[in-house]
Amino acid sequence: MDEFLENLINECRKYTDMGKVATYIPELAKVDPNQLGICVIGTNGKIFRAGQHQNRFTIQSVVKPIMLLLALADNGEEVIRSKVGVEATGKPFDAINMNAGKLESKHVNPMVNMGAIAVASLIKGKDGNERFQRLLEFTRVLAGNPELDINEDVYLSEKRTGNKNRALGYLLKNYGLIEGDVDEVLDTYFKACSIHINCEELARIGYCLCSHGKLWKSDERVFEARYANYVNAILTTCGMYDGSGEFAINVGIPAKSGVGGGIMGVVPTRMGIGIFSPGLDDKGNSYAGIRVLEKFSKEMFLSIF
Ligand code: GLU
């Protein structure tokens, strides 16, 4: 399998030039686009790695399912459903998803920015700092790395330039969809997006979702099984932004991408996958990462459909 993955990475390396690294967060523009790595962790207890799987990158939107899991555990499904919906927006990740009327919870999806900012406010904590620390601790547990931390430069870069997210935050506040101080919530969100991670850690998080809440090589359940069903379902319909339908056809697994170039894949009951390549397609998904997943899924019959 290691050799199979290595060949797959070599075959797809040509695609790293075809994407473009995100530049709207200035610090991300400095990232070397010629990186491609993968890690796969199976429920048979095996782990496989290939390419630049050790390189670190910021988690960006791949933190959204983790935030949702923690907010579900903190509040229960009913409260979450009263603040954020589950329907795909079919719009870009940073879209302002509202019509002329009132902004309602059903308009905000937790896998795109608007819904994720609302979810950040639902994580319990006395202030933004405590909320973020709880999220970081939870991410460390899922990722199996107690030293996981943020990339300070990317965090500050987004905090300085993230005015569109600020606008989304104030809009949500206006319609009663976020709790607390907007700037504090945004600070939690910006820090969450800048958690510095690698392919193996992403694969471990994907593994927890594939095994309905169990950590890799452990029987410890760190979240309720039904929350894995909830999150995996939303990943299937909108984890890849407005490219989710095409991804469902070509790859066919629950997955979440981030503008840092990471993709976390979840093959329920079988495996967690972490992929990284920073060049993005026009929807904000890793260009080479999707090509790798497509080939991998076809070879291994991973599609759940
Ligand atoms: N921090 C990024 C933002 O809020 C995350 C976007 C993404 O990865 O989709 O714009």
Side-chain angles (χ1 to χ4, degrees):
M1 180 80 154
D2 275 329
E3 199 185 324
F4 166 74
L5 286 183
E6 208 59 63
N7 289 339
L8 187 60
I9 292 292
N10 289 337
E11 202 186 316
C12 292
R13 206 167 275 289
K14 58 180 180 280
Y15 298 120
T16 57
D17 278 345
M18 296 185 188
K20 290 198 178 68
V21 297
T23 52
Y24 78 98
I25 298 173
E27 202 58 29
L28 291 184
K30 300 180 186 165
V31 173
D32 171 11
N34 296 310
Q35 304 180 69
L36 180 59
I38 185 168
C39 175
V40 177
I41 298 182
T43 43
N44 59 3
K46 298 211 168 113
I47 180 162
F48 305 97
R49 313 165 177 96
Q52 286 132 311
H53 60 89
Q54 282 169 317
N55 293 10
R56 289 202 170 267
F57 51 93
T58 50
I59 193 166
Q60 299 299 340
S61 268
V62 188
V63 79
K64 289 171 180 161
I66 307 171
M67 288 180 12
L68 181 58
L69 282 169
L70 186 55
L72 279 163
D74 279 355
N75 303 276
E77 193 178 323
E78 211 176 306
V79 172
I80 297 300
R81 286 297 293 273
S82 70
K83 300 284 181 185
V84 288
V86 295
E87 300 305 333
T89 63
K91 298 202 172 106
F93 67 90
D94 59 348
I96 299 173
N97 191 34
M98 71 175 292
N99 305 318
K102 188 175 179 290
L103 179 66
E104 295 174 54
S105 58
K106 64 181 181 200
H107 298 139
V108 295
N109 178 293
M111 292 307 133
V112 291
N113 291 10
M114 207 167 184
I117 293 168
V119 170
S121 82
L122 292 164
I123 294 170
K124 298 255 192 255
K126 65 175 182 312
D127 54 22
N129 200 35
E130 192 175 299
R131 257 189 231 126
F132 173 69
Q133 279 309 320
R134 289 192 60 243
L135 176 70
L136 181 61
E137 271 316 314
F138 184 55
T139 310
R140 286 172 170 165
V141 169
L142 300 186
N145 178 0
E147 276 159 28
L148 212 62
D149 218 328
I150 64 168
N151 176 321
E152 192 77 18
D153 293 336
V154 175
Y155 157 61
L156 292 174
S157 181
E158 184 167 15
K159 193 176 163 96
R160 212 170 37 243
T161 57
N163 291 321
K164 187 154 185 199
N165 282 327
R166 232 162 246 127
L168 295 178
Y170 280 99
L171 199 57
L172 288 160
K173 180 78 184 174
N174 186 61
Y175 290 101
L177 293 178
I178 63 174
E179 313 283 338
D181 179 80
V182 180
D183 284 320
E184 251 182 47
V185 172
L186 285 162
D187 195 57
T188 302
Y189 173 78
F190 293 144
K191 280 188 184 142
C193 290
S194 61
I195 292 174
H196 217 198
I197 199 141
N198 65 20
C199 290
E200 178 171 333
E201 289 151 4
L202 274 196
R204 280 174 179 254
I205 299 166
Y207 180 93
C208 295
L209 281 162
C210 102
S211 64
H212 298 89
K214 286 195 180 164
L215 296 175
W216 185 43
K217 290 199 166 161
S218 153
D219 265 342
E220 192 188 345
R221 195 177 285 287
V222 286
F223 53 83
E224 289 185 41
R226 66 198 163 109
Y227 293 151
N229 294 127
Y230 189 103
V231 171
N232 289 341
I234 303 180
L235 292 182
T236 310
T237 55
C238 25
M240 305 298 282
Y241 313 119
D242 46 337
S244 299
E246 194 145 331
F247 185 84
I249 289 170
N250 295 334
V251 182
I253 63 170
K256 184 75 201 86
S257 63
V259 296
I263 304 179
M264 175 190 71
V266 181
V267 189
T269 72
R270 286 178 70 187
M271 63 183 81
I273 304 170
I275 294 194
F276 166 56
S277 187
L280 308 178
D281 64 16
D282 57 353
K283 315 238 185 234
N285 295 317
S286 170
Y287 191 99
I290 289 193
R291 305 283 104 57
V292 170
L293 267 176
E294 264 178 37
K295 286 178 195 285
F296 188 50
S297 174
K298 285 188 179 124
E299 277 303 316
M300 308 286 292
F301 297 96
L302 300 184
S303 175
I304 61 171
F305 299 108

